[in-house]
Amino acid sequence: MTAAVPDYTLSEGAITFSVRVAPRASKTCAAGEHDGALKVRVAAPPVEGAANEELVRFLARSFGVTLKDVEITAGRSSKTKAVRVRGGTAERLKLLAG
């Protein structure tokens, strides 16, 4: 059985996909796919953008890009966010989803 792959689009050298964030985790890590989105547990509270900042750091590190290459395009105050990673690949997203 293969793991589900989050929905994504590729455009202009970037990958865009949804992320479902679970704040206040014991550590920051990818946790598979949830309803078409990459599930990410973040070790930061959803206060004053801390969880968003941790998510951006995690995705930049995971995709091997700089912080400025990761952009939350929608859902900054929601658990489900749209994220764009310039220089990201579908293969790397599939690996993160497990």
Side-chain angles (χ1 to χ4, degrees):
M1 187 172 148
T2 60
V5 177
D7 299 330
Y8 65 89
T9 57
L10 295 170
S11 175
E12 299 175 6
I15 186 168
T16 303
F17 54 96
S18 294
V19 176
R20 177 75 178 181
V21 177
R24 292 191 173 106
S26 60
K27 68 176 186 171
T28 300
C29 63
E33 182 270 347
H34 177 79
D35 289 338
L38 176 67
K39 184 170 184 177
V40 178
R41 294 184 174 113
V42 294
V47 178
E48 298 178 8
N52 287 341
E53 290 172 13
E54 179 66 14
L55 174 65
V56 169
R57 276 192 298 273
F58 172 75
L59 291 175
R61 190 170 52 249
S62 297
F63 279 93
V65 299
T66 65
L67 292 176
K68 68 179 182 175
D69 289 326
V70 179
E71 176 186 7
I72 298 173
T73 59
R76 291 194 69 80
S77 61
S78 171
K79 286 186 177 185
T80 303
K81 304 171 185 309
V83 176
R84 181 177 176 179
V85 180
R86 284 179 291 285
T89 64
E91 291 75 24
R92 188 65 192 146
L93 178 61
K94 291 173 189 174
L95 285 173
L96 280 173

